[in-house]
């Protein structure tokens, strides 16, 4: 009998009581958010009309290493955390690899993904500020589901602008959000000025996260101060909340006498990846250990592997602050046949800075290869993964196959961000041979790059 169990659950008492701020370990900080009008770095007062005050402070704080998790948030976390660290014994056998593969499974909650970790925090701070509700966007629906659940718990309204193609493809995601009393609007919509403008300019658009963000921000700003906008990825505050994934992973691996040689995570806006790698990247930055960190993104929305490192708007309507990040341009809209999430045009400023400085690697996969990995994983490990998570699975499998060739017994850790039970149309298309790959041409990407703001900070890009 193996000394390493298939699943390791930390106890409630071992669950981290503080989030870890990865920026505190970075010698060079990410470039600051800029005011879209003045191009000056933003302060808390600038962000407070959009975000909750405490979240605005967290967004701009690059120095505080550990932030207390308020007890009410911990109490909600304990309903589904700590999440298990799982040894993928059956996948290892199928691959005939000497590598040891572990994954951190974040799907053991009603929302079905890691998104609840930040949704609970953001809803709590909105409640503590005395707000009546929040607005947000969602792509594949994981974030909208998680936030609906969190808002219901804290007694807040939740207005979700859902990317139109996902709204049409995933009716059961909408049904779950409705269970938790959320209001869901397909985006772009005629309910906001920016939505109406996008529809006038692009009447046949299938939508994008950038479009939905614009509508959600406008809706919050026009609420008369009763609501604020919240975001499920990209922002520094979100990576802070998601650090609980990496902190639990590191503690669990220490109990097993393990440390990852390679950490693999799917990358869309960066929430899961940033949370998973946080303590391991800190070790790397401090010279304590040197794990390889690999970001896996879709070939249809390749912000790291084919994007530009530039200041860009976080939304299509150009109403948000400017962030320096790897981006395909705020005007980029991914192909409607892209089945999973990971549809955002940019990448977390924290992760963008780390990638730009050489601390991270990135790889992009076509979706048919991703679903091939998802099906193999489901057959061997009995969990049907979300398409987003399957990107990390594809990356981990390829790392393990390289170990088979080199005969190296490396330790691989990847993030299984959630389950794929709301993505059955995509699985059905893959299994029936109807799924195709859509990889943007250089000319397609140039259209997005042409939407980058023409500001001094972007000269020469």
């Amino acid at each position: 009998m193996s000394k390493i169990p298939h699943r390791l659950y930390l106890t409630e008492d071992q669950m981290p009581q503080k989030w870890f701020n990865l920026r505190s370990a970075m010698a060079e900080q990410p470039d600051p958010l800029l005011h879209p009008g003045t191009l000056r770095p933003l302060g808390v007062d600038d962000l407070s009309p959009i975000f909750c005050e405490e979240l605005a402070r967290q967004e701009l704080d690059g120095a505080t290493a550990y932030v207390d998790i308020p007890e009410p948030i911990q109490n909600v976390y304990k309903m589904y955390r700590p999440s298990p660290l799982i040894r993928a014994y059956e996948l290892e056998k199928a691959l005939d690899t000497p590598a040891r593969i572990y994954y951190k499974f974040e799907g053991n909650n009603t929302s079905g993904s890691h998104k609840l970790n930040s949704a609970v925090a953001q809803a709590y701070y909105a409640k503590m500020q005395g707000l009546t509700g929040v607005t947000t966007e969602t792509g594949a629906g994981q974030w909208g589901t998680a936030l609906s659940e969190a808002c219901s718990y804290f007694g807040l309204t939740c207005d979700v602008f859902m990317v139109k193609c996902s709204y049409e493809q995933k009716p059961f995601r909408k049904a779950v959000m409705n269970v938790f009393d959320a209001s869901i609007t397909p985006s772009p919509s005629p309910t906001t000025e920016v939505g109406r403008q996008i529809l006038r300019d692009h009447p046949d658009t299938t939508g994008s996260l950038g479009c939905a963000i614009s509508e959600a921000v406008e809706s919050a700003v026009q609420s008369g101060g009763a609501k604020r906008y919240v975001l499920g990825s990209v922002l520094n505050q979100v990576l802070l909340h998601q650090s609980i994934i990496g902190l639990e992973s590191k503690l669990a691996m220490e109990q097993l006498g393990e440390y990852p040689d390679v950490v693999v995570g799917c990358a869309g806006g960066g929430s899961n990846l940033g949370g998973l790698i946080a303590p391991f990247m800190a070790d790397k930055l401090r010279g304590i250990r040197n794990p390889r960190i690999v970001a896996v993104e879709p070939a249809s929305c390749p912000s790291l592997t084919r994007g530009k490192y530039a200041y860009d708007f976080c939304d299509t309507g150009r109403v948000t602050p400017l962030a320096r990040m790897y981006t395909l341009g705020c005007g980029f809209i991914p192909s409607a046949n892209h089945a999973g999430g990971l549809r955002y045009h940019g990448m977390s400023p924290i992760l963008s800075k780390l990638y730009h400085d050489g601390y991270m690697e990135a790889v992009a996969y076509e979706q048919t290869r991703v679903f091939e990995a998802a099906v193999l994983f489901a057959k061997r490990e009995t969990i049907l993964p979300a398409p987003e998570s399957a990107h990390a699975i594809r990356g981990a499998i390829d790392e393990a196959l390289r170990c088979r060739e080199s005969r190296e017994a490396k330790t691989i850790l990847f993030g299984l961000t959630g389950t794929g039970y709301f993505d059955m149309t995509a699985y059905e298309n893959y299994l029936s041979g109807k799924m195709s790959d859509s990889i943007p041409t250089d000319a397609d990407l140039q259209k997005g790059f042409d939407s980058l703001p023409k500001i001094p900070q972007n000269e020469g890009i």
Side-chain angles (χ1 to χ4, degrees):
M1 187 175 186
S2 174
K3 291 187 293 185
I4 295 179
H6 282 75
R7 291 187 172 218
L8 176 61
Y9 284 91
L10 301 174
T11 66
E12 280 189 11
D13 291 341
Q14 292 172 322
M15 189 181 76
Q17 296 182 4
K18 296 176 184 290
W19 293 304
F20 173 61
N21 184 357
L22 179 55
R23 284 172 293 168
S24 68
M26 297 172 65
E28 292 189 26
Q29 292 284 301
D31 292 282
L33 293 173
L34 300 182
H35 190 287
T38 65
L39 300 184
R40 289 183 157 181
L42 292 170
V44 172
D45 291 342
D46 297 307
L47 292 178
S48 293
I50 301 174
F51 301 125
C52 301
E53 292 174 7
E54 178 56 32
L55 293 170
R57 282 190 282 271
Q58 292 178 4
E59 185 64 28
L60 301 179
D61 182 0
T64 305
Y66 290 93
V67 177
D68 288 334
I69 303 175
E71 187 174 352
I73 297 176
Q74 290 188 49
N75 290 338
V76 180
Y77 278 179
K78 288 175 182 177
M79 295 185 205
Y80 66 98
R81 306 203 70 85
S83 65
L85 178 74
I86 304 175
R87 175 75 180 269
Y89 280 114
E90 296 305 315
L91 181 62
E92 292 173 12
K93 290 177 186 176
L95 300 175
D96 189 27
T97 179
R100 297 183 298 279
I101 306 174
Y102 294 88
Y103 57 95
K104 183 67 164 167
F105 181 43
E106 290 291 310
N108 280 344
N109 64 75
T110 302
S111 70
S113 81
H114 70 292
K115 296 287 189 178
L116 196 57
N117 299 327
S118 187
V120 170
Q122 296 193 53
Y124 167 78
Y125 289 122
K127 184 69 173 180
M128 291 302 98
Q129 191 170 320
L131 302 176
T132 63
V134 297
T135 69
T136 196
E137 77 296 323
T138 195
Q142 289 184 345
W143 170 244
T145 305
L147 187 65
S148 300
E149 186 176 344
C151 285
S152 178
Y153 180 85
F154 286 110
L156 298 167
T157 62
C158 182
D159 299 329
V160 181
F161 289 86
M162 188 172 185
V163 175
K164 184 181 292 183
C165 62
S166 293
Y167 181 93
E168 295 169 348
Q169 293 169 358
K170 302 185 179 185
F172 296 118
R173 274 285 180 195
K174 292 183 290 182
V176 176
M177 287 185 249
N178 288 148
V179 166
F180 295 104
D181 301 319
S183 171
I184 307 126
T185 303
S187 174
S189 78
T191 66
T192 65
E193 179 53 42
V194 68
R196 290 189 288 272
Q197 184 60 53
I198 292 170
L199 288 172
R200 284 193 291 268
D201 295 341
H202 307 282
D204 298 323
T205 183
T206 56
S208 71
L209 277 172
C211 296
I213 290 171
S214 298
E215 293 202 88
V217 171
E218 180 181 324
S219 178
V221 171
Q222 293 185 349
S223 70
K227 300 179 182 180
R228 291 294 188 277
Y229 166 72
V230 296
L231 181 64
S233 192
V234 182
L235 296 174
N236 300 334
Q237 57 188 272
V238 180
L239 270 66
L240 173 72
H241 306 150
Q242 295 294 356
S243 67
I244 194 167
I245 302 172
L247 294 170
E248 285 186 5
S249 298
K250 189 177 184 186
L251 179 56
M253 296 196 84
E254 286 172 351
Q255 291 188 7
L256 299 174
E258 287 274 36
Y259 191 94
D261 298 296
V262 187
V263 184
V264 183
C266 62
S271 63
N272 155 75
L273 179 65
L276 176 66
I277 71 173
F280 304 108
M281 179 61 80
D283 284 351
K284 189 180 183 82
L285 293 170
R286 294 165 177 161
I288 298 171
R289 301 292 289 263
N290 190 31
R292 285 180 52 230
I293 309 292
V294 182
V296 185
E297 62 184 8
S300 59
C301 197
S303 57
L304 286 173
T305 53
R306 297 177 67 191
K308 293 184 182 293
Y309 191 44
Y311 267 104
D312 194 13
F313 290 95
C314 297
D315 70 312
T316 301
R318 297 172 171 249
V319 298
T320 58
L322 293 164
R324 193 179 186 200
M325 56 186 175
Y326 275 89
T327 178
L328 298 171
C330 63
F332 177 80
I333 297 178
S335 168
N337 85 333
H338 173 50
L342 312 182
R343 301 175 61 88
Y344 189 58
H345 65 270
M347 182 60 60
S348 150
I350 293 175
L351 298 182
S352 293
K353 175 65 174 173
L354 292 168
Y355 179 68
H356 186 71
D357 291 349
Y359 293 105
M360 268 172 44
E361 305 169 29
V363 62
Y365 288 113
E366 301 88 347
Q367 65 179 351
T368 50
R369 291 197 66 201
V370 167
F371 274 83
E372 176 188 45
V375 170
L376 172 62
F377 181 84
K379 289 178 177 178
R380 305 305 300 190
E381 294 292 323
T382 76
I383 298 172
L384 186 73
E388 297 88 344
S389 311
H391 288 74
I393 294 171
R394 176 78 265 171
I397 286 175
D398 284 0
E399 291 289 340
L401 291 176
R402 281 190 281 272
C403 286
R404 184 176 72 186
E405 297 301 316
S406 66
R407 299 181 181 179
E408 295 176 280
K410 291 183 178 180
T411 299
I412 300 169
L413 169 66
F414 74 88
L416 184 59
T417 58
T419 54
Y421 303 114
F422 292 105
D423 300 284
M424 298 317 300
T425 299
Y427 273 100
E428 187 176 50
N429 287 339
Y430 171 74
L431 294 170
S432 65
K434 296 178 182 177
M435 178 176 285
S436 62
D437 294 318
S438 178
I439 302 175
T441 65
D442 289 344
D444 292 332
L445 293 182
Q446 189 58 49
K447 295 176 184 177
F449 297 146
D450 289 343
S451 68
L452 289 172
K454 307 299 190 289
I455 59 175
Q457 290 86 343
N458 283 348
E459 288 182 4
I461 292 174

